[in-house]
Amino acid sequence: MTYLPPPAEELRFLDAELRRLDAHRAQLLARRAWLVSVLQSAAPGPATPPFGGPAPATAPRPEASAPRVQNVLLVLGGVLLTIAAMAFTLVSWGHLGIAGRAAVLGTVTAAALAAPVPLLRRGLRSTAESVAGLGLALTVLDAYALHEAALADTDGTAYAAVAATVLAGAWAAYGTALGALRLPRPAALAAAQLPLLLTALAADAGPHGISAALLLTATADAAAALLVTSPALRPVRIAAAIGAYGTGGWGLLGALWLSWTAPDPGAAARAAALLLPASAVALTAAWRIAGTARTAEPGRTNAASAASGTDAPTASGTPSPALPSFSPQPLTTTLSTATALLGALVLLAALGGVLRVTLPGGWAVPAQLLGALALLMAPRIPRMPEQVRHGVAWASAAVQGLALLWALPLVAVALFGPFGWADRPWSGGPADARAAVTVHAPWLSHSGPALAVLGLLAGALALLVRNATWRRRALAGAAMLAWAAALSVPAALELPYVVGLLLLGLLTVAALALPVLPPTGTVLALVTSVDLAFLALADRTATLTALSALTVLYAAASTRSRLAPVTAPAALVYATALACATGAAAGWQAPHTALLVLVVPAVAVAVAPRLATTARVACELTGAVAALVAVGLAVTDAPMLALVLSSLGVLAGATATRPDRRAAGYAAAALFALAAWVRLAAWEVTAPEAYTLPVTVPALLVGAWRRRRDPLTGSWPAYGPGLAVTLLPSLAALWRDEGWPRPLLLGSAALLITLLGARHRLRAPLVLGGAVLVLTALHELAPYLVQFADALPRWAPPALAGLLLLALGATYERRLRDVRRVRDVLGRMS
């Protein structure tokens, strides 16, 4: 027995077959175009004329195809005829009587509407479309002419609504009668956008009525776009979709504005009554589009090979290029997700409009956030498409983000408000925690709702995100939101000042112990501790207590290796601040407080070797910063500065004993030298040797040690710097000194250095000592040379110069030999 399926099932089967045939036809057309291009590229060029004559001229290639030229001509013809009809109706209408007018317009309209029938029979479809468009335009002119001639006293808006309704129905019937024409039915759908809107305007329905008219029209368009599934009615479906989004967009904007500006619950409820059906329509449309995307798949005959990139075999057995195939799934997926997103947002907007005028003091935002979180339960609805689920989730996320932005100002005041005590330390404890954070900033009126928003978002992230990939990130975000709420609680509840400090301390401890994403917890603890330190600046006892507790807390946390790179430097920073605060509380002067700050670099030097590499470097850098703080505090007192520098030199020397920190020895030497110079400057010592000898002696010892470890080290890098540091400043001071002790001592030292250089064949001592010895001797003989020059006659200097030149010229060769011998001797020295 032959099985006859139900009509609905048979219709779905036929639609699927038609779609498969359309896809197969598109593939065949693409294959034909490829074959034509191959044949054209392989076609031989123009034959060369015999006897070397000129080549025939190549015909110019047309720039427009024949169908395109035809369509342009038809469209231009229709437009010109429409313009002519409008000019006749508007200008020449008054020259004819009523009968003449009716006869002319009726005849022309009937002819234009009837002409497509024979044109379609002859296969002139494009010409029929153009003439049909002219006929539709003439019907609009007929309606206008009827109003001007017989119904001029009626309301224009109401008449336009009736005329649009009649024209929409007539055009739809006309398009149905002539099914081969594509223009009349989309035109009827376009005309159907006006009746309800014009009716609302004619009835003076107000903003609510106009928005309702637009939304009803958009609903009808959406129904048409979803229910019309025949491939032959694809233009109608496209026009309906455009109308749904366009008209519905204007209607939604109007309804949203009414909801946002509603002065009372009644007005908000009326606006919500407009938005809720629109949301239902959008969500239904998204669901239907998603279902269409699942069922609308192109044929699998050649599409499978094209999609997989393989070549389909031809009749000759050779593979052909993969035929292109078009799948509407990406477009429909995006459209479904966007429509679901719009529907969910409209639903939340309707809820928010009612809550805004119902709940006082900003509590509408937490209530609307609850609605957004409730939307996350929607994906649990059975058989909900994935695209709709994504759209609803994005809408909920958008509302959550807006609620978070609304609550962030409260967190900003609680976080940055304590920094205002930096310019008024120890000015007295504030009345409560709110006064403590509003030194330079006003308080927000919606602190309670903002706290509720932060709590709801934290709970949502912690409880609703179950995906393994996003779970840890969600927990980290929940921890940050909970921390922001806890940071704002003392000021929001106007707790006592001391209670607020205790809560911040407990929050710091809790953040350090947070097991979720340790970097997040460590950063939150550090930020909270900084906030606590600045907030404690209002009172002296609170400052000392808070800094002591923070120092101990971070020092204890540094025993955990994963926290040490952050907590160890933080402990040293708070210890430095505690030392400064202790000195200020005791009434000490800044130079004396520097001695207390020196404890911090000493602790850093002692603790750093026991830490891991990263924590060790961070600890040493923090200790160096604390050392700079101590130097800055002692810079106004020279003796105390010398003591500080020498103490830092001892610490640098202790650091240099470690194998991986040998370079710290240079810093130790520099610090000792600076300390000696500062001490000498404090004693008002002006002799340069007192400043240079403390540097020369260690430098020479280091040079000797280097030459002992490496005999190939030259005398210049080993002894040159140390000798130059003392000899050159002393030589410069010699020319300003008129006494005899300095020349005697400098000359003796230079002679001794020269002899030692000659004895051990060292170039640097020999050259430096000899040069200083000669310059010292010249300094001592200078007065006598000046007296001798004054006693000589004027002709004596030129004569002596001439004799000298003659003597030099006579012994030039011998002198050159002696110079070479001295150079060789010096070259053999080290």
Side-chain angles (χ1 to χ4, degrees), residues 53-448:
T58 303
R61 185 176 181 180
E63 298 181 356
S65 62
R68 183 171 300 177
V69 173
Q70 164 194 308
N71 293 334
V72 170
L73 293 177
L74 291 176
V75 170
L76 288 177
V79 170
L80 292 176
L81 287 176
T82 303
I83 293 174
M86 292 175 60
F88 168 76
T89 304
L90 298 176
V91 179
S92 301
W93 181 259
H95 300 289
L96 298 176
I98 296 178
R101 301 171 189 173
V104 171
L105 276 179
T107 303
V108 175
T109 303
L113 294 176
V117 176
L119 292 174
L120 289 174
R121 292 175 180 173
R122 295 177 177 271
L124 303 176
R125 181 175 176 178
S126 299
T127 306
E129 293 280 1
S130 180
V131 176
L134 174 61
L136 299 180
L138 288 175
T139 56
V140 177
L141 295 177
D142 289 339
Y144 170 75
L146 178 61
H147 179 268
E148 293 297 323
L151 302 174
D153 296 334
T154 59
D155 181 41
T157 306
Y159 178 80
V162 176
T165 305
V166 174
L167 288 177
W171 291 354
Y174 181 71
T176 304
L178 298 179
L181 295 179
R182 296 183 178 181
L183 180 61
R185 281 174 287 195
L189 193 61
Q193 309 300 309
L194 301 176
L196 290 179
L197 175 61
L198 295 176
T199 302
L201 292 174
D204 197 10
H208 289 82
I210 293 174
S211 299
L214 291 172
L215 291 176
L216 285 175
T217 304
T219 302
D221 292 335
L226 295 174
L227 297 178
V228 175
T229 58
S230 175
L233 298 178
R234 188 167 179 267
V236 177
R237 190 174 186 179
I238 294 175
I242 295 173
Y245 284 104
T247 308
W250 285 109
L252 284 178
L253 288 178
L256 290 173
W257 176 256
L258 291 173
S259 177
W260 182 260
T261 58
D264 51 59
R270 289 195 299 271
L274 297 175
L275 293 173
L276 291 177
S279 172
V281 170
L283 292 174
T284 304
W287 196 306
R288 182 64 181 266
I289 294 171
T292 305
R294 287 200 305 267
T295 57
E297 296 182 359
R300 294 292 183 178
T301 52
N302 288 337
S305 60
S308 60
T310 57
D311 294 339
T314 59
S316 60
T318 58
S320 64
L323 300 179
S325 63
F326 172 76
S327 175
Q329 291 185 4
L331 177 61
T332 54
T333 299
T334 304
L335 189 61
S336 175
T337 303
T339 307
L341 170 63
L342 177 63
L345 288 177
V346 171
L347 176 62
L348 293 174
L351 176 64
V354 175
L355 294 174
R356 184 183 61 83
V357 295
T358 304
L359 299 178
W363 285 101
V365 177
Q368 189 166 9
L369 179 59
L370 283 175
L373 295 177
L375 276 184
L376 296 178
M377 300 294 105
R380 299 185 179 181
I381 298 176
R383 302 178 62 183
M384 174 177 282
E386 190 72 18
Q387 298 89 330
V388 180
R389 184 179 296 113
H390 288 168
V392 172
W394 278 111
S396 177
V399 174
Q400 294 177 46
L402 292 176
L404 178 60
L405 290 178
W406 180 81
L408 282 182
L410 173 68
V411 182
V413 172
L415 181 61
F416 299 107
F419 290 94
W421 293 101
D423 60 350
R424 53 176 74 181
W426 297 353
S427 58
D432 51 43
R434 180 176 297 182
V437 299
T438 55
V439 182
H440 297 300
W443 185 248
L444 302 176
S445 59
H446 57 270
S447 57

Side-chain angles (χ1 to χ4, degrees), residues 579-580 583 588-602 626-627 629-631 633-634 637 639-648 651:
C580 296
W588 295 354
Q589 295 182 352
H592 296 86
T593 305
L595 296 178
L596 191 58
V597 176
L598 284 178
V599 177
V600 178
V629 173
V631 172
L633 291 173
D637 189 343
M640 192 63 64
L641 179 60
L643 179 59
V644 170
L645 290 174
S646 59
S647 301
L648 293 177
L651 295 177

